[in-house]
Amino acid sequence: MTAHGTHGRRPTLEEVAARAGVGRGTVSRVINGSPRVSEQTRAAVEEAVAELGYVPNTAARALAANRSDSIAVIVPEAESRFFSEPYFSGMVGGVGLALADTNLQLLLTFARGEREQDRLTAYLAAHRVDGVLLISVHADDPLADRLLQLDIPTVISGPRSADEPLPSVDTDNYEGARSAVAHLVSRGRRSIALIAGPQNVYGAERRTAGYVDQLAADGIAYDEKLVAYADFTEEMGRRRMAELLERAPGLDAVFACSDLMASGARQVLREAGRRIPQDVSLVGFDDSVIARHMEPGLTSVRQPTRDMGRAMAELLLDEIADAAAGKRSSVRRGTPRHLVLPTELVVRGSS
Amino acid sequence: MTAHGTHGRRPTLEEVAARAGVGRGTVSRVINGSPRVSEQTRAAVEEAVAELGYVPNTAARALAANRSDSIAVIVPEAESRFFSEPYFSGMVGGVGLALADTNLQLLLTFARGEREQDRLTAYLAAHRVDGVLLISVHADDPLADRLLQLDIPTVISGPRSADEPLPSVDTDNYEGARSAVAHLVSRGRRSIALIAGPQNVYGAERRTAGYVDQLAADGIAYDEKLVAYADFTEEMGRRRMAELLERAPGLDAVFACSDLMASGARQVLREAGRRIPQDVSLVGFDDSVIARHMEPGLTSVRQPTRDMGRAMAELLLDEIADAAAGKRSSVRRGTPRHLVLPTELVVRGSS
DNA sequence: ATCACTTATGGGAGCGCTCCCACCCTACTT
DNA sequence: AAGTAGGGTGGGAGCGCTCCCATAAGTGAT
């Protein structure tokens, strides 16, 4: 490694070629790892590259090859949850990790209002990103369909329905919920309330299904008075908990579909004089930092956000490779790949 | 807005020119908002752009203009705190917010081990980013100096020393610490322990200074037995708290320089049978999600991470503009700009 | 009417790569 | 001996822009 002239103009491929005494094409081949280069020549070129501190210009490469070596991660900034929920940062971190071993860039993009569709489409067109990672899409998010239609390799972070056409990575929401309920039952609880997430979010719906099925499996009758629907936020957790307490004062356990809602529920329970876990067991979902720091510690269904991010990136790389290999849309779409990562119940003092 | 041919090749500048019946140069001028275009022509071009759904190709533009319209945000992934501390996600979110109004892209980069220096430098060279945002640099981080020397517009998120040569954005660590101590004193506490951050981090050092000075201002003698140094982590918070309790069993308050350390301290205090806040008042720093969900709520010095991110982006834009305006290095370096954002003490049950 | 400016516009010359075709040379075939 | 593959290599032709110079047209002063 030699000093590459402090700053100023960086060497070009052509200069490397001149230095190594070969043609431009050959240097290009070496840079891109083509096998059609003799050992000698390769060594000579590599030496020239090192001596000159040559680094290929991304823009030139993107222009000539018509690929950008970058992927866009689109986060719904509108909900501004990126700032409060570790879910997003975990995901993004995982993606970054997976990409570090690649030469792909991570373009982070915040999708503001639903109306930003056009802006985003233009953005993707302008950058000709090789792929897109869409985090947290609602069942009615139009962006996902747009991407599908544009035929840009895309992976989303939670299928929008059971027959999601786009490849996806998700946690096993259904089993996660079952494990939570099973755990509560094993603790002797029989009157288990559910604070569910928005049912237009597929993952939230799966959790509800898991709750229902596990109750049945344990021979406990489903009681709709014990079920309330919220939107994952703390405030709604409070409201629904208060309502549940009114409707079903005899409940002895609560399964909230997010830690945030569990936190809201806890406050209401406490104000109502119910002790946790003596009077009421509480279980959350996410195993976020909140769960670890709540008092008592919140039993929660852990989502491996970091692994999810990593998995998304890896799946996307496959998609991009497939697309490049010429398996065009119609063929590829035959079998979208859906990855489901297992959850893990982290038991703490609240149950 | 018209359908831009479902997918396939996107229109080029030249096609827009042909359609509008003008030359390439003129379209370029319109796209880039040059004033040297007549109203008529401008309108004609804009219509052609809309009809064709033209979006300029970023790569081509970057190549021709030798600027990338993108900035890199470098986060020290090594510490993997990105995943656990809201500090980072808040920052990044703020940056994203500020950039949304620009046409600049956000390249998110994780700086792994200290040895990644070369990789990163190559990365920046390859992408010819217009600027760099460096989050959380240690006093001895070599990357910052490298950037300075490379003459790439850079803003860092916390000066490394009192005479930081790079522009920076920071919270008022000193005043934040003072407000925390003043608050504890106002609660009648006189034996206030400090769990300080690593003193090679300038911001942490400033907090220590604030602690010292405020004690003096309140006429309380400094007692080194009440001061312990840690590294911002929960585990170290635990360890140091245990040591403090041994060295100074009579302490009646603790100021921890991060919420995470405060959380660790709380556990130890509780195990030692000290009640919070009756026996010992506890104050943290960051006002992260942890503070809000601790039991009792943790009084904490709030850092406006989101605003900091936004401020960093804005400062960087200025830097880039200055650099482009030809005020070269030597001149620019005369007065690096340092922005210091105020903190706010959020009082909760722990004090 | 002439000259000197100013303003609007067209288009050539790259930016630094990749792609691909032509070419050379050696190594086998028949 | 001539013929046929190939591997290895050089370099032309772009990719889609921006920059800038040349040119055309318009404006007011002489």
Side-chain angles (χ1 to χ4, degrees), chain A residues 11-13 31-32 49 53-61, chain B residues 122-123 125-128:
Chain A
T12 68
L13 208 177
I31 300 286
N32 294 293
V49 165
Y54 171 73
V55 176
N57 179 321
T58 331
R61 173 177 286 183
Chain B
Y123 171 89
H127 287 275
R128 290 185 171 45

Side-chain angles (χ1 to χ4, degrees), chain A residues 91-224:
Chain A
M91 288 283 217
V92 173
V95 172
L97 238 54
L99 255 41
D101 302 323
T102 332
N103 65 336
L104 260 64
Q105 293 328 310
L106 194 170
L107 282 170
L108 189 60
T109 318
F110 293 95
R112 306 188 290 184
E114 302 259 325
R115 283 290 105 67
E116 280 238 319
Q117 298 298 321
D118 292 319
R119 233 181 70 100
L120 261 178
T121 313
Y123 171 89
L124 296 176
H127 287 276
R128 290 185 172 45
V129 292
D130 297 336
V132 174
L133 252 30
L134 213 52
I135 296 188
S136 165
V137 277
H138 297 290
D140 49 2
D141 192 330
L143 184 56
D145 285 325
R146 183 100 117 203
L147 288 166
L148 185 62
Q149 161 196 330
L150 281 168
D151 208 28
I152 297 177
T154 303
V155 174
I156 67 180
S157 80
R160 292 163 295 165
S161 70
D163 53 340
E164 171 64 55
L166 286 169
S168 69
V169 172
D170 204 1
T171 38
D172 196 336
N173 291 295
Y174 178 76
E175 284 302 333
R178 289 192 67 149
S179 71
V181 173
H183 166 73
L184 288 169
V185 171
S186 79
R187 287 287 204 257
R189 306 304 183 173
R190 304 289 295 179
S191 183
I192 302 170
L194 171 73
I195 301 183
Q199 298 300 291
N200 68 336
V201 173
Y202 180 64
E205 187 232 298
R206 294 309 298 152
R207 293 179 198 172
T208 304
Y211 164 86
V212 170
D213 289 0
Q214 186 60 37
L215 280 187
D218 284 326
I220 300 177
Y222 174 84
D223 179 354
E224 67 172 340

Side-chain angles (χ1 to χ4, degrees), chain A residues 9 28 90 105 114 163 192 236 249 270 303 308:
Chain A
R9 241 183 28 58
S28 178
Q105 293 328 310
E114 302 259 325
D163 53 340
I192 302 170
M236 280 301 269
R270 172 153 316 196
Q303 299 200 73
M308 289 173 71

